[in-house]
């Protein structure tokens, strides 16, 4: 009960911060998303690299720079993502060569930093972009992610009996289904009435796809935590954990909606 109270209070504070920033200025919202992306990268980096030595500091600094460049792309400037990717690969590749004699870095290190910075930078960058161009679609991303996550948690707590996956032992099939249904229904009503432009069947399929993706996002980041024996990414948000514990679903929904809108 205490945990649920903490989760609720933290969620209200987080939502208040996001809504207030949107009301005040889109630039302020963009700054907050940039901070979240950097904090998120710091969390995903720290679960793997526990020692704060020179080797890890250099990797983290490079990763943070890449996150900032990717997050701000299409917002402050416009660079083809392939150019950013090539820049990352070349930079990290040069570091491997220069530090080879010290056996400091491996291909695994480079891949982890590259994937993490791209995942966070692109997803948060797209959130900034879509809120600047179509705020109702930006709100839709949060509705899908938060409703799916909230109802999956409530449903699993109330009637959950069958375990969903070993990745996250507390998640249940019943909770997952309730979260998917609630996210599809509430998200569908919102999109159909406030965004529009497509029929009810297409809206339903879109919401269904994104709610499922939302749950995969949750499980994906849980999988990383479990691999490194971590319960939470950090204790930044009481009752939730870290930025990635709260925004795991948002990241996947953001990327998924971006993909759908670009394809169709």
């Amino acid at each position: 009960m205490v945990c649920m109270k903490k989760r609720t209070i933290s969620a209200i504070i987080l939502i208040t911060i996001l809504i207030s920033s949107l009301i005040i200025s889109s630039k302020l919202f963009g700054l907050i998303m940039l901070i979240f992306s950097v904090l998120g990268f710091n969390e995903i980096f720290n679960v793997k690299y526990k020692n704060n030595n020179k080797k890890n500091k250099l990797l983290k600094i490079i990763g943070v720079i890449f996150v900032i460049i990717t997050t701000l792309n299409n917002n402050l400037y416009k660079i083809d993502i392939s150019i950013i990717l090539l820049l990352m690969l070349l930079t990290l590749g040069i570091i491997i060569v220069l530090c080879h004699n010290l056996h400091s870095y491996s291909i695994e290190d480079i891949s982890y930093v590259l994937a993490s910075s791209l995942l966070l930078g692109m997803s948060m960058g797209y959130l900034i972009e879509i809120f600047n161009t179509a705020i109702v679609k930006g709100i839709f991303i949060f509705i899908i992610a938060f409703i799916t996550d909230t109802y999956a948690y409530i449903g699993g707590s109330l009637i959950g009996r069958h375990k969903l996956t070993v990745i996250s032992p507390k998640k249940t099939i019943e909770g997952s289904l309730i979260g998917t249904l609630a996210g599809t229904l509430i998200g569908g009503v919102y999109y159909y009435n406030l965004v529009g432009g497509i029929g009810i069947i297409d809206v339903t399929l879109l919401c269904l796809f994104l709610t499922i993706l939302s749950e995969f996002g949750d499980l994906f980041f849980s999988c990383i935590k479990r691999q490194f024996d971590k319960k939470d990414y950090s204790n930044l948000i009481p009752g939730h954990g870290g930025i990635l514990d709260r925004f795991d679903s948002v990241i996947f929904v953001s990327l998924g909606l971006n993909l759908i809108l670009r394809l169709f």
Side-chain angles (χ1 to χ4, degrees):
M1 195 70 181
V2 175
C3 182
M4 188 62 183
K5 184 178 179 180
K6 282 185 178 180
R7 285 175 65 92
T8 303
I9 294 172
S10 297
I12 291 171
I13 293 173
L14 192 59
I15 292 170
T16 302
I17 291 172
L18 293 173
I19 293 175
S20 299
S21 67
L22 280 169
I23 294 172
I24 295 170
S25 168
S26 60
K27 290 182 178 179
L28 178 58
F29 176 80
L31 177 61
I32 290 174
M33 288 297 103
L34 177 61
I35 293 171
F36 281 178
S37 65
V38 172
L39 289 174
F41 177 80
N42 184 64
E43 290 177 352
I44 202 170
F45 187 91
N46 287 342
V47 295
K48 178 174 172 60
Y49 302 99
K50 300 174 180 63
N51 296 324
N52 195 27
N53 53 34
K54 289 183 179 180
K55 164 197 167 181
N56 294 341
K57 281 182 179 179
L58 178 59
L59 265 185
K60 181 184 285 189
I61 290 170
I62 293 171
V64 167
I65 291 172
F66 286 154
V67 167
I68 293 172
I69 290 172
T70 311
T71 302
L72 296 179
N73 190 36
N74 294 324
N75 294 298
L76 285 185
Y77 45 79
K78 195 173 184 68
I79 304 174
D80 191 294
I81 191 63
S82 61
I83 295 176
I84 296 177
L85 180 58
L86 285 172
L87 177 62
M88 291 179 175
L89 288 170
L90 288 172
T91 303
L92 293 169
I94 289 171
I95 288 174
I96 283 184
V97 173
L98 292 177
C99 301
H100 180 67
N101 292 333
L102 300 176
H103 302 287
S104 293
Y105 304 107
S106 66
I107 297 297
E108 180 185 343
D109 294 324
I110 302 308
S111 300
Y112 191 82
V113 171
L114 181 66
S116 299
S117 55
L118 276 174
L119 183 64
L120 289 162
M122 290 180 68
S123 59
M124 294 299 184
Y126 180 65
L127 273 175
I128 298 171
E129 182 183 349
I130 199 167
F131 267 100
N132 285 335
T133 56
I135 190 171
V136 287
K137 288 182 180 178
I139 295 172
F140 172 67
I141 291 173
F142 283 100
I143 287 175
I144 288 290
F146 288 174
I147 291 295
T148 302
D149 179 65
T150 300
Y151 278 86
Y153 178 81
I154 294 172
S157 299
L158 294 177
I159 62 170
R161 296 292 181 273
H162 302 88
K163 299 298 181 184
L164 178 65
T165 171
V166 294
I167 294 174
S168 189
K170 290 185 178 181
K171 295 190 183 301
T172 63
I173 294 175
E174 293 85 355
S176 177
L177 290 174
I178 290 173
T180 299
L181 289 172
T184 301
L185 177 62
I186 297 173
V189 170
Y190 174 88
Y191 197 98
Y192 187 76
N193 288 285
L194 295 179
V195 181
I198 56 176
I200 187 66
I201 294 177
D202 290 333
V203 168
T204 303
L205 292 175
L206 172 65
C207 292
L208 179 61
F209 169 71
L210 292 177
T211 53
I212 294 172
L213 206 57
S214 173
E215 300 207 44
F216 269 101
D218 190 339
L219 293 173
F220 173 79
F221 283 98
S222 292
C223 187
I224 296 174
K225 284 190 298 186
R226 299 295 180 265
Q227 184 176 350
F228 298 109
D229 297 320
K230 291 287 186 179
K231 181 179 181 295
D232 295 317
Y233 278 98
S234 73
N235 57 0
L236 184 65
I237 307 174
H240 292 274
I243 291 294
L244 294 181
D245 293 295
R246 178 66 276 183
F247 279 80
D248 46 10
S249 300
V250 173
I251 289 169
F252 266 51
V253 175
S254 172
L255 293 174
L257 182 61
N258 186 19
L259 176 65
I260 293 296
L261 293 179
R262 291 180 188 274
L263 287 175
F264 303 102

